Amino acid sequence: MDAVKLKELKNFVELCKSNPSVLTDPTLAFFRDYLESLGAKLPPAAYSGSVSPKKSHVDEESDEEIPEKESPSVEEPEEEEEEDEIIESDVELEGETVEPDNDPPQKMGDSSVEVTEESRDASQEAKAKAMEAISEGKLEEAVEHLTEAILLNPLSAIMYGTRATVYIKMKKPNAAIRDANAALEINPDSAKGYKARGMAHSLLGQWEEAAKDLHVASKLDYDEEISAVLKKVEPNAHKLEEHRRKYDRLRKEREDRKAEKDRQRRRAKAQAEYEKAKKQEQSSSSGRPGGMPGGFPGGMPGGFPGGMPGGFPGGMPGGFPGAGGMPGGAPGNVDFSKILNDPDMMAAFSDPEIMAALQDVMKNPANLAKHQSNPKVAPVIAKMMSKFAGPK
């Protein structure tokens, strides 16, 4: 095989690699068909403005139509399966609890009543009777006496705290909590109120609330009973606290993963839309039939039929050193081997900036003037025009 022809073929293949739109030239349909017959998969740019690969291979003897190959589209990112909800495990706790008491609320004192010295003394006498009943195990009777004491002196936190203690003994934690709250409203530093409410919470299995109240009571007025109850309450409170922290952390991690997946999904969607728009833009810009890279009008090997349309009137404005003007347009049947065999020209055709300038000049020769000062573009145009000018 002729070495010169082989070199031209090699350069032509390199040109096709750098700009597949060259293959849209109808005169190169035979070459494109040959590549497809070998199983080659050509990029979309090789078909823009031309027949699709499937249409070109319909068997002439077959009446069946082969459907056109759909243009490749950017796949939407697949929706990932939603994570299952986090189901909390049970916590193994120890300690005696009771069913909540649902009795009607006990009688409470009227805080707006003026407490006299006589009513205060009578309240103390009722309390003394209650304490005697407690010592005898008569809890219901004790509650009655303490209720009388509260009605006589509704401003006494001690009376409410004492009745709350009796309700604890009677396993009525909700009633005890109501009395403890009343005691703390009157005296926010009532150790008896915190102690009774803490013990009531422990009976209901509300371990963390119980530990909190009992710790306050212990700081206000420490006693052995509070310490004994805390030893039973605190282990359960710690287990519940660790359990809650664990699942709070798991839920936060789950939300973080979900947020990250959402961000990735949005980025993927944006990237897909960008790639799709980019391919459409490349396809439309390379879809002009024939021509050199970037769409020179005319055609490939065999020259520009009839020369460049209209030519550059009066030659290139100002001309380029060493190339002179180009009056009357470029001659027909330009020998493209001069360009294909020129490695500098082939490299220039791969440069987007140079190709953009060449396209600008080919669209309107008057635009040549604005590219004369570009040291990157001017020499390429000058050299290209010198090849078009033919032998001197």
Side-chain angles (χ1 to χ4, degrees):
M1 181 178 287
D2 191 307
V4 176
K5 296 296 182 182
L6 186 61
K7 184 177 180 181
E8 289 181 4
L9 177 60
K10 181 178 179 182
N11 289 335
F12 175 65
V13 171
E14 292 298 325
L15 176 62
C16 292
K17 287 181 179 179
S18 64
N19 188 8
S21 63
V22 168
L23 296 175
T24 60
D25 189 334
T27 62
L28 294 176
F30 74 94
F31 183 61
R32 188 175 59 232
D33 292 345
Y34 170 68
L35 294 176
E36 291 174 348
S37 70
L38 296 177
K41 184 177 181 181
L42 303 181
Y47 302 103
S48 299
S50 181
V51 294
S52 67
K54 291 295 183 182
K55 284 290 185 181
S56 63
H57 285 287
V58 175
D59 191 343
E60 295 180 358
E61 297 181 1
S62 173
D63 292 334
E64 297 181 2
E65 291 189 1
I66 300 178
E68 291 190 11
K69 181 180 180 180
E70 296 181 358
S71 58
S73 59
V74 180
E75 294 183 0
E76 292 291 332
E78 295 182 0
E79 290 288 334
E80 297 187 17
E81 293 184 4
E82 191 73 18
E83 291 187 30
D84 293 334
E85 289 291 333
I86 295 175
I87 301 176
E88 296 189 19
S89 61
D90 294 331
V91 182
E92 294 184 5
L93 303 173
E94 299 178 358
E96 180 186 358
T97 59
V98 299
E99 290 295 323
D101 52 306
N102 298 314
D103 298 337
Q106 63 271 34
K107 291 181 180 180
M108 310 294 277
D110 184 357
S111 59
S112 64
V113 173
E114 182 179 354
V115 180
T116 64
E117 193 69 30
E118 290 79 5
S119 61
R120 188 174 286 108
D121 291 342
S123 175
Q124 288 295 329
E125 291 178 6
K127 179 188 175 185
K129 293 178 182 180
M131 299 306 293
E132 184 178 350
I134 292 172
S135 64
E136 295 174 0
K138 301 175 181 179
L139 301 181
E140 291 286 354
E141 182 180 333
V143 168
E144 292 177 3
H145 289 306
L146 286 168
T147 301
E148 180 184 356
I150 289 171
L151 294 175
L152 289 168
N153 184 9
L155 301 181
S156 173
I158 293 176
M159 298 300 179
Y160 281 109
T162 304
R163 190 172 68 172
T165 302
V166 177
Y167 280 130
I168 294 294
K169 295 178 181 294
M170 297 173 68
K171 307 296 183 184
K172 292 185 176 182
N174 284 329
I177 289 174
R178 286 192 290 268
D179 273 353
N181 288 338
L184 291 169
E185 285 180 10
I186 298 170
N187 178 14
D189 293 328
S190 171
K192 188 181 287 286
Y194 280 111
K195 176 181 177 181
R197 193 170 69 179
M199 296 178 72
H201 281 309
S202 70
L203 288 176
L204 291 171
Q206 298 167 350
W207 307 108
E208 290 176 286
E209 293 87 343
K212 181 179 177 182
D213 280 341
L214 291 171
H215 275 295
V216 176
S218 180
K219 290 180 181 178
L220 292 171
D221 186 14
Y222 175 83
D223 65 39
E224 293 296 330
E225 187 178 17
I226 294 176
S227 178
V229 176
L230 271 174
K231 288 180 180 179
K232 297 178 181 179
V233 168
E234 280 189 320
N236 288 340
H238 290 155
K239 288 180 182 179
L240 288 171
E241 183 179 5
E242 289 300 318
H243 179 84
R244 186 180 64 255
R245 287 179 179 175
K246 171 185 174 181
Y247 283 94
D248 285 347
R249 184 184 72 253
L250 291 176
R251 275 187 283 268
K252 185 178 184 304
E253 290 173 353
R254 180 178 182 273
E255 291 301 318
D256 290 344
R257 287 194 300 271
K258 182 179 178 182
E260 179 61 25
K261 288 179 181 178
D262 288 341
R263 284 193 291 269
Q264 291 178 357
R265 192 177 294 112
R266 288 194 296 269
R267 284 197 296 266
K269 183 178 180 181
Q271 182 66 24
E273 291 175 352
Y274 168 76
E275 294 293 342
K276 183 178 180 180
K278 183 178 178 182
K279 287 185 178 181
Q280 289 175 346
E281 181 181 356
Q282 290 176 343
S283 177
S284 61
S285 65
S286 62
R288 303 184 185 91
M292 286 291 290
F296 285 12
M300 280 298 292
F304 293 97
M308 291 185 183
F312 294 99
M316 291 187 180
F320 283 98
M326 197 172 169
N333 297 323
V334 175
D335 185 0
F336 266 86
S337 64
K338 294 181 180 180
I339 295 176
L340 296 175
N341 287 324
D342 190 326
D344 294 335
M345 294 297 291
M346 295 302 293
F349 292 153
S350 300
D351 189 310
E353 181 182 356
I354 294 176
M355 291 310 302
L358 292 177
Q359 288 179 352
D360 188 37
V361 173
M362 297 306 290
K363 289 177 182 177
N364 186 0
N367 293 335
L368 181 62
K370 68 181 181 181
H371 298 293
Q372 287 180 338
S373 60
N374 189 329
K376 188 176 181 181
V377 176
V380 177
I381 296 180
K383 190 172 185 179
M384 186 173 179
M385 292 305 105
S386 69
K387 293 183 181 294
F388 286 163
K392 296 182 179 179

